[in-house]
Amino acid sequence: GLALTPSSLDEDAPSHFHTCLRELCEAKAGSAEVYRTMKQTCDEYFYLPARAEHRGVGGVFYDDLAEPWAPDFSLALLDAALSPDGPYMPIVERRRRLEYSDEQREWQCIRRGRYVEFNLLYDRGVRFGLSPESVERVLVSSPPLVAWKFKAEPAAGTPEAGTLAVLRKPREWA
C-alpha cells in the first residue's frame, strides 16, 4: 500500500494524493470502489487506539490481494509512488523548501514518534511478539529523528492542532 503521514496538514496535499490513488485504482483495478475499500482498510489499519488517532491521512492498503489485476496494480502503485507526477513527489517538491520553526520541527519529530509507536505496538509484523530481529527491523526502518512528549497537544488554532483534528477523524479526500 501507500499512505501519507504529514506532520502539518496542507489541505491540497491529501486531496492530490488521494485523487491520484483513486485514479490509479480506476485505471488498474477498473473501479473507484477498489479505492474506497482500500482507503477504508488503510484508515482502519493505521490507527493508534490508545491515542484515538490515525497515523496519517490515509492512502490505500491491502493484504493478500488475489484479484486478477493485483500484480499490475501493485507494480503501477510502486511506479507511481515516486513518479514526478504521482501522488507523492509533487507534494515533496511543493513543500521541501518551506521554512519551519523549532516548534514545527519538534511537532514533526513527535508525529514521527507516532509512526514508530504504531510499528512497535500495532503493526501485524510485530503484534504477535517482539523478538530482537523484529525490533531491529522496526527501528532500522524508522525515521532517524523522533521524539516523544508526555500528552503532547498542539496549541489551539495552530496548523498542528488542525492536523491532529483530521487525524482523529478521517476525511474523504477524493
Short mmCIF file of all heavy atoms in Angstrom, two decimals, residues 57-108:
data_model
loop_
_atom_site.label_atom_id
_atom_site.label_comp_id
_atom_site.label_asym_id
_atom_site.label_seq_id
_atom_site.Cartn_x
_atom_site.Cartn_y
_atom_site.Cartn_z
N VAL A 57 -3.03 10.61 7.06
CA VAL A 57 -4.29 10.95 6.39
C VAL A 57 -4.73 9.86 5.42
O VAL A 57 -5.57 10.09 4.56
CB VAL A 57 -4.21 12.32 5.68
CG1 VAL A 57 -4.04 13.43 6.69
CG2 VAL A 57 -3.10 12.33 4.64
N GLY A 58 -4.17 8.68 5.57
CA GLY A 58 -4.62 7.54 4.81
C GLY A 58 -3.94 7.39 3.47
O GLY A 58 -2.94 8.04 3.16
N GLY A 59 -4.52 6.50 2.69
CA GLY A 59 -4.00 6.13 1.39
C GLY A 59 -4.71 4.88 0.96
O GLY A 59 -5.92 4.75 1.17
N VAL A 60 -3.96 3.94 0.40
CA VAL A 60 -4.53 2.64 0.05
C VAL A 60 -3.69 1.56 0.74
O VAL A 60 -2.47 1.68 0.83
CB VAL A 60 -4.60 2.39 -1.47
CG1 VAL A 60 -5.59 3.35 -2.13
CG2 VAL A 60 -3.24 2.51 -2.14
N PHE A 61 -4.37 0.54 1.23
CA PHE A 61 -3.68 -0.55 1.92
C PHE A 61 -4.41 -1.84 1.60
O PHE A 61 -5.64 -1.88 1.54
CB PHE A 61 -3.68 -0.30 3.43
CG PHE A 61 -2.91 -1.33 4.20
CD1 PHE A 61 -1.53 -1.35 4.18
CD2 PHE A 61 -3.57 -2.29 4.96
CE1 PHE A 61 -0.81 -2.30 4.89
CE2 PHE A 61 -2.87 -3.25 5.67
CZ PHE A 61 -1.49 -3.25 5.64
N TYR A 62 -3.63 -2.88 1.41
CA TYR A 62 -4.20 -4.20 1.13
C TYR A 62 -3.23 -5.27 1.58
O TYR A 62 -2.02 -5.07 1.63
CB TYR A 62 -4.52 -4.36 -0.36
CG TYR A 62 -3.34 -4.09 -1.28
CD1 TYR A 62 -2.51 -5.11 -1.69
CD2 TYR A 62 -3.07 -2.80 -1.73
CE1 TYR A 62 -1.43 -4.88 -2.53
CE2 TYR A 62 -2.01 -2.55 -2.57
CZ TYR A 62 -1.19 -3.59 -2.96
OH TYR A 62 -0.12 -3.35 -3.79
N ASP A 63 -3.78 -6.42 1.93
CA ASP A 63 -3.03 -7.62 2.28
C ASP A 63 -3.56 -8.77 1.44
O ASP A 63 -4.77 -8.87 1.23
CB ASP A 63 -3.26 -7.98 3.76
CG ASP A 63 -2.16 -7.48 4.66
OD1 ASP A 63 -1.09 -7.12 4.16
OD2 ASP A 63 -2.38 -7.47 5.88
N ASP A 64 -2.69 -9.61 1.00
CA ASP A 64 -3.09 -10.84 0.31
C ASP A 64 -4.10 -10.57 -0.81
O ASP A 64 -5.11 -11.26 -0.92
CB ASP A 64 -3.67 -11.85 1.30
CG ASP A 64 -2.68 -12.16 2.41
OD1 ASP A 64 -1.48 -12.27 2.11
OD2 ASP A 64 -3.10 -12.28 3.57
N LEU A 65 -3.84 -9.58 -1.61
CA LEU A 65 -4.73 -9.24 -2.72
C LEU A 65 -4.61 -10.30 -3.81
O LEU A 65 -3.53 -10.52 -4.35
CB LEU A 65 -4.35 -7.86 -3.26
CG LEU A 65 -5.29 -7.21 -4.24
CD1 LEU A 65 -6.67 -7.02 -3.62
CD2 LEU A 65 -4.74 -5.85 -4.66
N ALA A 66 -5.70 -11.00 -4.08
CA ALA A 66 -5.67 -12.12 -5.02
C ALA A 66 -6.47 -11.86 -6.29
O ALA A 66 -6.76 -12.79 -7.04
CB ALA A 66 -6.19 -13.38 -4.33
N GLU A 67 -6.82 -10.64 -6.56
CA GLU A 67 -7.59 -10.31 -7.76
C GLU A 67 -6.70 -10.47 -8.99
O GLU A 67 -5.48 -10.30 -8.92
CB GLU A 67 -8.10 -8.87 -7.67
CG GLU A 67 -8.98 -8.59 -6.48
CD GLU A 67 -10.29 -9.36 -6.53
OE1 GLU A 67 -10.77 -9.68 -7.63
OE2 GLU A 67 -10.84 -9.65 -5.45
N PRO A 68 -7.30 -10.75 -10.15
CA PRO A 68 -6.51 -10.92 -11.37
C PRO A 68 -5.68 -9.67 -11.72
O PRO A 68 -4.62 -9.78 -12.32
CB PRO A 68 -7.54 -11.20 -12.47
CG PRO A 68 -8.80 -11.56 -11.77
CD PRO A 68 -8.73 -11.01 -10.38
N TRP A 69 -6.17 -8.51 -11.36
CA TRP A 69 -5.48 -7.26 -11.67
C TRP A 69 -4.42 -6.89 -10.63
O TRP A 69 -3.69 -5.92 -10.79
CB TRP A 69 -6.48 -6.11 -11.82
CG TRP A 69 -7.50 -6.05 -10.72
CD1 TRP A 69 -8.78 -6.52 -10.78
CD2 TRP A 69 -7.36 -5.49 -9.41
NE1 TRP A 69 -9.44 -6.29 -9.59
CE2 TRP A 69 -8.57 -5.66 -8.72
CE3 TRP A 69 -6.31 -4.87 -8.73
CZ2 TRP A 69 -8.78 -5.23 -7.42
CZ3 TRP A 69 -6.51 -4.45 -7.43
CH2 TRP A 69 -7.73 -4.63 -6.79
N ALA A 70 -4.30 -7.67 -9.56
CA ALA A 70 -3.41 -7.31 -8.44
C ALA A 70 -1.95 -7.13 -8.84
O ALA A 70 -1.33 -6.14 -8.42
CB ALA A 70 -3.55 -8.33 -7.31
N PRO A 71 -1.34 -8.04 -9.62
CA PRO A 71 0.08 -7.83 -9.95
C PRO A 71 0.32 -6.52 -10.71
O PRO A 71 1.26 -5.78 -10.38
CB PRO A 71 0.42 -9.05 -10.81
CG PRO A 71 -0.55 -10.09 -10.38
CD PRO A 71 -1.83 -9.34 -10.09
N ASP A 72 -0.51 -6.23 -11.71
CA ASP A 72 -0.34 -4.99 -12.47
C ASP A 72 -0.58 -3.77 -11.58
O ASP A 72 0.12 -2.76 -11.68
CB ASP A 72 -1.28 -4.94 -13.67
CG ASP A 72 -0.86 -5.89 -14.78
OD1 ASP A 72 0.32 -6.30 -14.79
OD2 ASP A 72 -1.71 -6.22 -15.63
N PHE A 73 -1.58 -3.87 -10.72
CA PHE A 73 -1.88 -2.76 -9.81
C PHE A 73 -0.70 -2.51 -8.88
O PHE A 73 -0.29 -1.36 -8.68
CB PHE A 73 -3.15 -3.06 -8.99
CG PHE A 73 -3.42 -2.02 -7.95
CD1 PHE A 73 -4.01 -0.82 -8.30
CD2 PHE A 73 -3.06 -2.21 -6.63
CE1 PHE A 73 -4.25 0.17 -7.35
CE2 PHE A 73 -3.29 -1.23 -5.67
CZ PHE A 73 -3.88 -0.04 -6.04
N SER A 74 -0.16 -3.56 -8.30
CA SER A 74 0.96 -3.41 -7.35
C SER A 74 2.17 -2.78 -8.03
O SER A 74 2.82 -1.90 -7.44
CB SER A 74 1.33 -4.76 -6.74
OG SER A 74 0.27 -5.24 -5.95
N LEU A 75 2.47 -3.21 -9.24
CA LEU A 75 3.60 -2.61 -9.98
C LEU A 75 3.32 -1.15 -10.31
O LEU A 75 4.20 -0.29 -10.18
CB LEU A 75 3.88 -3.40 -11.26
CG LEU A 75 4.49 -4.78 -11.05
CD1 LEU A 75 4.56 -5.53 -12.39
CD2 LEU A 75 5.87 -4.68 -10.41
N ALA A 76 2.10 -0.85 -10.72
CA ALA A 76 1.74 0.54 -11.03
C ALA A 76 1.81 1.42 -9.79
O ALA A 76 2.25 2.57 -9.86
CB ALA A 76 0.34 0.59 -11.64
N LEU A 77 1.41 0.88 -8.65
CA LEU A 77 1.48 1.64 -7.40
C LEU A 77 2.93 1.94 -7.05
O LEU A 77 3.27 3.07 -6.66
CB LEU A 77 0.79 0.87 -6.27
CG LEU A 77 0.68 1.59 -4.93
CD1 LEU A 77 -0.14 2.87 -5.05
CD2 LEU A 77 0.06 0.66 -3.89
N LEU A 78 3.80 0.96 -7.19
CA LEU A 78 5.23 1.19 -6.94
C LEU A 78 5.80 2.24 -7.88
O LEU A 78 6.54 3.13 -7.46
CB LEU A 78 6.02 -0.11 -7.10
CG LEU A 78 5.91 -1.11 -5.97
CD1 LEU A 78 6.57 -2.43 -6.36
CD2 LEU A 78 6.53 -0.56 -4.70
N ASP A 79 5.44 2.15 -9.16
CA ASP A 79 5.92 3.14 -10.13
C ASP A 79 5.40 4.54 -9.80
O ASP A 79 6.13 5.52 -9.89
CB ASP A 79 5.48 2.76 -11.55
CG ASP A 79 6.26 1.59 -12.12
OD1 ASP A 79 7.34 1.26 -11.57
OD2 ASP A 79 5.79 1.01 -13.11
N ALA A 80 4.13 4.62 -9.45
CA ALA A 80 3.51 5.91 -9.17
C ALA A 80 4.05 6.56 -7.91
O ALA A 80 4.12 7.78 -7.81
CB ALA A 80 1.99 5.76 -9.06
N ALA A 81 4.43 5.74 -6.94
CA ALA A 81 4.81 6.26 -5.62
C ALA A 81 5.85 7.37 -5.71
O ALA A 81 5.72 8.40 -5.05
CB ALA A 81 5.31 5.12 -4.73
N LEU A 82 6.87 7.18 -6.51
CA LEU A 82 7.94 8.18 -6.60
C LEU A 82 8.02 8.84 -7.97
O LEU A 82 9.00 9.51 -8.29
CB LEU A 82 9.28 7.56 -6.22
CG LEU A 82 9.36 7.07 -4.78
CD1 LEU A 82 10.72 6.42 -4.51
CD2 LEU A 82 9.10 8.19 -3.79
N SER A 83 6.99 8.70 -8.76
CA SER A 83 6.93 9.35 -10.06
C SER A 83 6.84 10.87 -9.87
O SER A 83 6.15 11.34 -8.97
CB SER A 83 5.71 8.85 -10.83
OG SER A 83 5.51 9.61 -11.99
N PRO A 84 7.51 11.65 -10.71
CA PRO A 84 7.45 13.11 -10.57
C PRO A 84 6.03 13.68 -10.60
O PRO A 84 5.77 14.72 -10.00
CB PRO A 84 8.26 13.63 -11.76
CG PRO A 84 9.14 12.51 -12.16
CD PRO A 84 8.40 11.24 -11.81
N ASP A 85 5.12 13.00 -11.29
CA ASP A 85 3.75 13.49 -11.35
C ASP A 85 2.78 12.57 -10.61
O ASP A 85 1.57 12.63 -10.82
CB ASP A 85 3.31 13.69 -12.80
CG ASP A 85 3.36 12.40 -13.60
OD1 ASP A 85 3.97 11.41 -13.13
OD2 ASP A 85 2.79 12.38 -14.71
N GLY A 86 3.30 11.73 -9.75
CA GLY A 86 2.48 10.79 -9.00
C GLY A 86 1.85 11.40 -7.76
O GLY A 86 1.79 12.62 -7.59
N PRO A 87 1.41 10.56 -6.85
CA PRO A 87 0.71 11.05 -5.66
C PRO A 87 1.60 11.77 -4.64
O PRO A 87 1.14 12.65 -3.93
CB PRO A 87 0.10 9.79 -5.05
CG PRO A 87 0.88 8.66 -5.60
CD PRO A 87 1.40 9.10 -6.93
N TYR A 88 2.89 11.42 -4.61
CA TYR A 88 3.75 11.89 -3.51
C TYR A 88 4.74 12.99 -3.88
O TYR A 88 4.85 13.99 -3.18
CB TYR A 88 4.49 10.67 -2.95
CG TYR A 88 5.35 10.97 -1.76
CD1 TYR A 88 4.79 11.35 -0.54
CD2 TYR A 88 6.73 10.87 -1.83
CE1 TYR A 88 5.58 11.64 0.56
CE2 TYR A 88 7.53 11.15 -0.73
CZ TYR A 88 6.95 11.53 0.45
OH TYR A 88 7.74 11.81 1.53
N MET A 89 5.47 12.82 -4.96
CA MET A 89 6.56 13.74 -5.28
C MET A 89 6.13 15.19 -5.51
O MET A 89 6.84 16.11 -5.10
CB MET A 89 7.39 13.21 -6.45
CG MET A 89 8.17 11.95 -6.10
SD MET A 89 9.16 12.07 -4.58
CE MET A 89 10.38 13.27 -5.06
N PRO A 90 4.98 15.47 -6.14
CA PRO A 90 4.58 16.88 -6.25
C PRO A 90 4.39 17.55 -4.88
O PRO A 90 4.68 18.73 -4.73
CB PRO A 90 3.25 16.81 -7.02
CG PRO A 90 3.36 15.56 -7.81
CD PRO A 90 4.09 14.59 -6.91
N ILE A 91 3.96 16.79 -3.89
CA ILE A 91 3.82 17.33 -2.53
C ILE A 91 5.19 17.65 -1.97
O ILE A 91 5.42 18.73 -1.40
CB ILE A 91 3.07 16.33 -1.63
CG1 ILE A 91 1.65 16.09 -2.16
CG2 ILE A 91 3.04 16.82 -0.18
CD1 ILE A 91 0.95 14.90 -1.52
N VAL A 92 6.13 16.74 -2.14
CA VAL A 92 7.51 16.95 -1.67
C VAL A 92 8.09 18.19 -2.34
O VAL A 92 8.67 19.06 -1.66
CB VAL A 92 8.38 15.72 -1.93
CG1 VAL A 92 9.86 16.01 -1.64
CG2 VAL A 92 7.91 14.53 -1.12
N GLU A 93 7.95 18.29 -3.64
CA GLU A 93 8.52 19.43 -4.37
C GLU A 93 7.92 20.75 -3.91
O GLU A 93 8.62 21.76 -3.81
CB GLU A 93 8.33 19.26 -5.88
CG GLU A 93 9.23 18.21 -6.48
CD GLU A 93 10.72 18.49 -6.25
OE1 GLU A 93 11.16 19.65 -6.41
OE2 GLU A 93 11.44 17.54 -5.90
N ARG A 94 6.61 20.76 -3.63
CA ARG A 94 5.93 21.98 -3.19
C ARG A 94 6.38 22.40 -1.79
O ARG A 94 6.43 23.58 -1.47
CB ARG A 94 4.42 21.74 -3.20
CG ARG A 94 3.63 22.86 -3.74
CD ARG A 94 2.13 22.64 -3.89
NE ARG A 94 1.49 21.68 -3.04
CZ ARG A 94 1.00 20.50 -3.45
NH1 ARG A 94 1.11 20.13 -4.71
NH2 ARG A 94 0.39 19.70 -2.61
N ARG A 95 6.72 21.44 -0.95
CA ARG A 95 6.96 21.75 0.47
C ARG A 95 8.42 21.71 0.90
O ARG A 95 8.75 22.19 1.99
CB ARG A 95 6.15 20.79 1.33
CG ARG A 95 4.65 20.95 1.10
CD ARG A 95 3.87 20.11 2.04
NE ARG A 95 4.23 20.41 3.40
CZ ARG A 95 3.40 20.79 4.34
NH1 ARG A 95 2.13 20.91 4.09
NH2 ARG A 95 3.82 21.04 5.57
N ARG A 96 9.29 21.16 0.12
CA ARG A 96 10.65 20.89 0.59
C ARG A 96 11.50 22.12 0.90
O ARG A 96 12.43 22.04 1.68
CB ARG A 96 11.38 19.96 -0.35
CG ARG A 96 11.68 20.56 -1.68
CD ARG A 96 12.25 19.54 -2.61
NE ARG A 96 13.54 20.02 -3.08
CZ ARG A 96 14.33 19.35 -3.86
NH1 ARG A 96 14.00 18.14 -4.21
NH2 ARG A 96 15.45 19.86 -4.27
N ARG A 97 11.17 23.23 0.34
CA ARG A 97 11.96 24.44 0.60
C ARG A 97 11.27 25.39 1.59
O ARG A 97 11.76 26.50 1.82
CB ARG A 97 12.25 25.14 -0.70
CG ARG A 97 13.25 24.37 -1.55
CD ARG A 97 13.62 25.09 -2.83
NE ARG A 97 14.53 24.29 -3.62
CZ ARG A 97 14.16 23.33 -4.46
NH1 ARG A 97 12.90 23.06 -4.63
NH2 ARG A 97 15.06 22.65 -5.15
N LEU A 98 10.17 24.96 2.17
CA LEU A 98 9.47 25.81 3.13
C LEU A 98 10.29 25.97 4.41
O LEU A 98 10.92 25.03 4.88
CB LEU A 98 8.10 25.21 3.49
CG LEU A 98 7.07 25.12 2.37
CD1 LEU A 98 5.80 24.44 2.88
CD2 LEU A 98 6.75 26.51 1.82
N GLU A 99 10.26 27.16 4.94
CA GLU A 99 10.90 27.41 6.23
C GLU A 99 10.04 26.81 7.34
O GLU A 99 8.82 26.72 7.20
CB GLU A 99 11.04 28.93 6.45
CG GLU A 99 11.88 29.64 5.40
CD GLU A 99 13.36 29.39 5.58
OE1 GLU A 99 13.81 29.25 6.73
OE2 GLU A 99 14.07 29.31 4.55
N TYR A 100 10.65 26.44 8.43
CA TYR A 100 9.91 25.93 9.58
C TYR A 100 10.59 26.37 10.87
O TYR A 100 11.78 26.63 10.91
CB TYR A 100 9.77 24.40 9.51
CG TYR A 100 11.10 23.67 9.42
CD1 TYR A 100 11.80 23.32 10.57
CD2 TYR A 100 11.65 23.33 8.19
CE1 TYR A 100 13.02 22.67 10.49
CE2 TYR A 100 12.86 22.68 8.10
CZ TYR A 100 13.53 22.35 9.26
OH TYR A 100 14.75 21.71 9.18
N SER A 101 9.78 26.47 11.91
CA SER A 101 10.27 26.92 13.21
C SER A 101 10.75 25.72 14.03
O SER A 101 10.50 24.56 13.68
CB SER A 101 9.14 27.63 13.97
OG SER A 101 8.14 26.69 14.32
N ASP A 102 11.43 26.02 15.13
CA ASP A 102 11.85 24.96 16.04
C ASP A 102 10.64 24.21 16.59
O ASP A 102 10.69 22.98 16.76
CB ASP A 102 12.67 25.53 17.20
CG ASP A 102 14.03 26.03 16.75
OD1 ASP A 102 14.50 25.64 15.66
OD2 ASP A 102 14.64 26.83 17.51
N GLU A 103 9.55 24.92 16.84
CA GLU A 103 8.34 24.29 17.35
C GLU A 103 7.73 23.34 16.32
O GLU A 103 7.27 22.25 16.65
CB GLU A 103 7.30 25.34 17.77
CG GLU A 103 7.70 26.16 18.98
CD GLU A 103 8.67 27.31 18.64
OE1 GLU A 103 8.85 27.65 17.43
OE2 GLU A 103 9.26 27.85 19.58
N GLN A 104 7.75 23.76 15.06
CA GLN A 104 7.24 22.88 13.99
C GLN A 104 8.11 21.64 13.84
O GLN A 104 7.59 20.54 13.62
CB GLN A 104 7.15 23.65 12.67
CG GLN A 104 6.05 24.69 12.66
CD GLN A 104 6.17 25.60 11.46
OE1 GLN A 104 7.25 26.04 11.08
NE2 GLN A 104 5.02 25.92 10.87
N ARG A 105 9.41 21.81 13.96
CA ARG A 105 10.33 20.66 13.87
C ARG A 105 10.07 19.70 15.04
O ARG A 105 10.08 18.48 14.86
CB ARG A 105 11.77 21.15 13.87
CG ARG A 105 12.79 20.04 13.82
CD ARG A 105 12.71 19.29 12.52
NE ARG A 105 13.88 18.43 12.42
CZ ARG A 105 13.93 17.36 11.67
NH1 ARG A 105 12.89 17.01 10.94
NH2 ARG A 105 15.00 16.63 11.63
N GLU A 106 9.85 20.24 16.22
CA GLU A 106 9.55 19.38 17.37
C GLU A 106 8.26 18.60 17.13
O GLU A 106 8.18 17.40 17.40
CB GLU A 106 9.43 20.21 18.65
CG GLU A 106 9.11 19.36 19.87
CD GLU A 106 8.92 20.17 21.14
OE1 GLU A 106 8.53 21.35 21.07
OE2 GLU A 106 9.16 19.60 22.21
N TRP A 107 7.23 19.27 16.60
CA TRP A 107 5.97 18.59 16.30
C TRP A 107 6.19 17.49 15.26
O TRP A 107 5.63 16.40 15.37
CB TRP A 107 4.91 19.59 15.84
CG TRP A 107 3.61 18.94 15.53
CD1 TRP A 107 3.06 18.76 14.30
CD2 TRP A 107 2.71 18.35 16.46
NE1 TRP A 107 1.86 18.10 14.41
CE2 TRP A 107 1.63 17.83 15.73
CE3 TRP A 107 2.71 18.20 17.85
CZ2 TRP A 107 0.56 17.18 16.33
CZ3 TRP A 107 1.64 17.56 18.45
CH2 TRP A 107 0.59 17.05 17.70
N GLN A 108 7.00 17.78 14.25
CA GLN A 108 7.30 16.75 13.25
C GLN A 108 7.94 15.53 13.91
O GLN A 108 7.58 14.39 13.60
CB GLN A 108 8.23 17.30 12.17
CG GLN A 108 8.59 16.27 11.12
CD GLN A 108 9.69 16.73 10.19
OE1 GLN A 108 10.68 17.30 10.65
NE2 GLN A 108 9.51 16.51 8.90
#
